[in-house]
């Protein structure tokens, strides 16, 4: 992903009863399709991904945004991509 932040919709927050975050500032995101959307940059107290718990993760809450793990999440993991016969593993 080329995304900088974890993105979440207000609906996702509501449906998952997520309340542990601190607002930082309003931001404008530039999406891969060329569109711009405004959102609220926040710091999530805690994010759980399977067996992993991440603390103080930057995220953007924006209307119509899909759940997307950007660099604010991925930088906390060692990630490697291998390319063989036009397939990425």
């Amino acid at each position: 992903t080329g995304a900088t932040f974890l993105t979440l919709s207000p609906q996702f927050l509501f449906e998952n009863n997520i309340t542990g975050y601190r607002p930082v500032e309003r931001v404008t995101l530039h999406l891969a399709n060329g569109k711009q959307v405004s959102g609220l940059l926040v710091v999530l107290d805690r994010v759980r991904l399977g067996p992993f718990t991440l603390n103080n993760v930057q995220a953007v809450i924006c209307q119509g945004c899909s759940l997307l793990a950007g660099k604010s999440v991925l930088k906390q993991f060692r990630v490697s991509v291998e390319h063989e016969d036009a397939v990425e593993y």
Side-chain angles (χ1 to χ4, degrees), residues 55-71:
N55 296 308
N56 299 314
V57 176
Q58 289 185 317
V60 175
I61 302 168
C62 47
Q63 191 65 42
C65 285
S66 300
L67 178 61
L68 177 66
K71 293 176 192 170

Side-chain angles (χ1 to χ4, degrees), residues 1-43:
T1 177
T4 302
F5 301 108
L6 169 66
T7 58
L8 309 161
S9 69
Q11 294 84 1
F12 182 86
L13 292 175
F14 177 77
E15 291 167 1
N16 292 280
N17 197 31
I18 298 171
T19 58
Y21 61 87
R22 298 178 306 280
V24 177
E25 65 181 334
R26 302 269 332 147
V27 295
T28 300
L29 299 179
H30 302 272
L31 306 181
N33 64 5
K35 291 185 181 180
Q36 292 184 359
V37 296
S38 63
L40 178 64
L41 177 64
V42 300
V43 176

